[in-house]
Each structure stands twice: as structure tokens, then as C-alpha cells.
Amino acid sequence: MSKISIATEDRVFVLTGAGISAESGLPTFRASDGLWAGNRIEDVCTPEAWERNPWRVWEFYSARREAGAKAQPNPAHVALAELERRLGERFFLCTQNVDDLHERAGSRRLLHMHGELSKAHCEDNCGRAPVEDRAIYRSLDEVGRCPCGGRLRPHIVFFGEMPLEMDRIQEEIQKATLMVVVGTSGSVYPAANFVHWARLSGARTVYVGPEPPLNAAAFTHVAEGNAGEALPGMFHVEQS
Ligand code: APR
């Protein structure tokens, strides 16, 4: 595929999914050997799972913290951080990922719509901000409590809960003239709708990943390939 030109008036919105961290050694969700093959969503990632067995939920996310801490950003994360350095406030990154590999590669203008592994928040949603929490728990007794008395739960958006900062996301999509979506299967909403919202406001839309996502028809270009190989060198940024 030829390079994607970014003109001086363009604004870029990037959406990433688990596929961008695959080359860092973190499993995706829906691959045949992915996270949802070995763990049932209804046991580890729903409000009901938390009610029923909070330890099973913490056990799952503790294991993901452990894997995330060992992983390193790959050339795809680095390429997006570099693009941000060149575009400044004309760049915005929204990730569905809860790992911190984008930050560790240098991204700053980013939002984690499905939460962050490195934080916890009160199970009672008492209004206090999420707290830093990178602990790898070995039992539920080790998990702290909020000053209000509620147990701390992973700062993860469970299935059935509202993704974070949707107003900000919608605002950024509306301003974008180019949307780049990387490594997501297009099976979870509302993220799978972002490409449609971008098309409504006239943006070019590009998908990057080894196979077409479920919503592939909505993209103006689908670049088939691994993100770590495809993203570095993919953009031609026009200088003002
Ligand atoms: N580079 C780019 N994409 C890749 C790579 C790679 N090296 N390897 C795999 N992929 C692609 C796969 O082709 C697949 O389309 O990554 C995608 C991963 O899809 P999913 O496992 O469904 O992950 P994602 O789309 O991020 O899931 C969305 O679902 O379970 C929830 O909250 C969780 O944020 C997650 C959401």
C-alpha cells in the first residue's frame, strides 16, 4: 500500500486494540488461543462476575498485570508516539487496551476507553478517583479498600458498563479528517462504530491488521499486515 499522506490541515484520530500489543507478546482476546478462549467473559469481566466471585476477577487481572509488566512496547507503539510528536495537538489516540505500552513508548495524548490495568477503583463507585495499583494479588485478603469501605476492583470497564470519556471521544472523532484503526476485530461496541462516525463527518478511514475486521466494509483502505511492520514508515507528514 502506498504511504498515507497527512496534510497540514489534517487531524488524526487513532483507535487501537489488542492486536497492537500482540507483537509485544500479549495475547489478543478472540484468537483461537486468546484470552477469551481460556477464560469465560462471564466469570472475569462482568459486574455479575465481580458480585459472585471478586477473587476470580482479581486473579485474572493480576495475571494480566504480571504479563503486562514483562512486555515491552513494539515498533507499532513507537511509530504512533513518533506520529504524535510530529502532529502535536492534531493527533489523538484512543485505545481499547488496558496495558500501558502506548505510554511507555512515549504517547501522551491518549485515552484508555476500557480502563487501565495499573489502577483500581471503588466497587461502590463512591465518586473517588481511581488509584494507582500495580499489585499482583495472591489472595482477596491482600486487596485494599476505599476510604468509604468499598472493596477496590480493577479499573477495567466490564462488559455491560459504559466505556470511559465517550463525550471526549465523540468530540475528537468529529474533528478528525483521518481515522487510523489498528489491531481490533471490530466486534465490540461502541468502538466498532467509531469508523462509521468518522465516515459521517467525511474522514478517510484506514485499518491496519493481519486480517480484515468485522466492520472492514466501512474503511476506505484496509492495509493487511502486522502493526509492527506496517505502521513504521506508513505516514507521509506534510510540513507546514
Ligand atoms: N498487528 C495488528 N493486528 C493484529 C496483530 C498484529 N500483529 N495480531 C493480531 N491482530 C488483530 C487480529 O487480527 C484481531 O482482529 O488484532 C485483533 C484482535 O481482536 P480482539 O482479540 O477481538 O481484540 P480487540 O478488538 O482489542 O477487543 C476489543 O473486547 O474483550 C474486549 O475489552 C476487551 O478491549 C477489548 C475489546
Side-chain angles (χ1 to χ4, degrees):
M1 182 180 162
S2 53
K3 284 201 179 212
I4 294 164
S5 266
I6 300 178
T8 50
E9 64 276 15
D10 276 325
R11 296 186 72 99
V12 181
F13 181 104
V14 179
L15 171 69
T16 62
I20 198 167
S21 297
E23 288 157 86
S24 295
L26 298 181
T28 63
F29 292 95
R30 293 174 181 79
S32 55
D33 55 352
L35 288 167
W36 295 153
N39 302 277
R40 285 167 15 121
I41 291 173
E42 52 273 42
D43 289 339
V44 298
C45 196
T46 64
E48 295 75 22
W50 176 257
E51 282 293 314
R52 218 171 29 242
N53 188 348
W55 171 239
R56 177 72 189 98
V57 175
W58 264 122
E59 191 182 27
F60 176 70
Y61 285 104
S62 288
R64 299 196 52 212
R65 283 180 175 179
E66 201 164 14
K70 286 182 195 145
Q72 297 300 327
N74 68 54
H77 298 103
V78 173
L80 292 179
E82 173 61 22
L83 190 59
E84 175 184 332
R85 268 192 293 279
R86 299 183 71 182
L87 298 179
E89 61 161 32
R90 293 191 291 127
F91 177 94
F92 189 79
L93 171 58
C94 174
T95 185
Q96 297 170 88
N97 298 345
V98 296
D99 66 54
D100 62 359
L101 296 179
H102 282 304
E103 288 91 327
R104 284 163 56 200
S107 289
R108 293 296 171 262
R109 292 179 51 78
L110 90 162
L111 186 158
H112 286 271
M113 65 178 291
H114 290 163
E116 291 172 76
L117 265 181
S118 60
K119 294 181 180 170
H121 72 254
C122 176
E123 64 178 349
D124 294 332
N125 291 315
C126 68
R128 287 181 175 82
V131 292
E132 281 281 316
D133 179 1
R134 294 172 189 271
I136 293 159
Y137 294 114
R138 302 292 173 203
S139 81
L140 193 59
D141 296 339
E142 295 174 9
V143 178
R145 288 195 176 261
C146 177
C148 79
R151 200 191 300 279
L152 290 176
R153 58 164 259 191
H155 185 49
I156 300 291
V157 175
F158 292 153
F159 281 86
E161 295 180 328
M162 187 61 95
L164 307 174
E165 302 201 51
M166 283 307 299
D167 289 349
R168 174 93 197 272
I169 291 171
Q170 268 167 321
E171 213 174 275
E172 293 291 343
I173 292 177
Q174 223 156 30
K175 288 191 291 193
T177 56
L178 170 63
M179 175 175 279
V180 180
V181 177
V182 185
T184 175
S185 56
S187 47
V188 173
Y189 288 83
N193 261 337
F194 292 180
V195 60
H196 299 284
W197 301 348
R199 289 295 290 272
L200 281 177
S201 46
R204 289 178 287 160
T205 53
V206 179
Y207 180 79
V208 183
E211 62 204 354
L214 289 179
N215 53 0
F219 288 88
T220 44
H221 296 287
V222 173
E224 286 192 31
N226 287 335
E229 286 156 27
L231 280 183
M234 176 174 252
F235 304 100
H236 171 73
V237 180
E238 288 176 16
Q239 305 294 334
S240 50

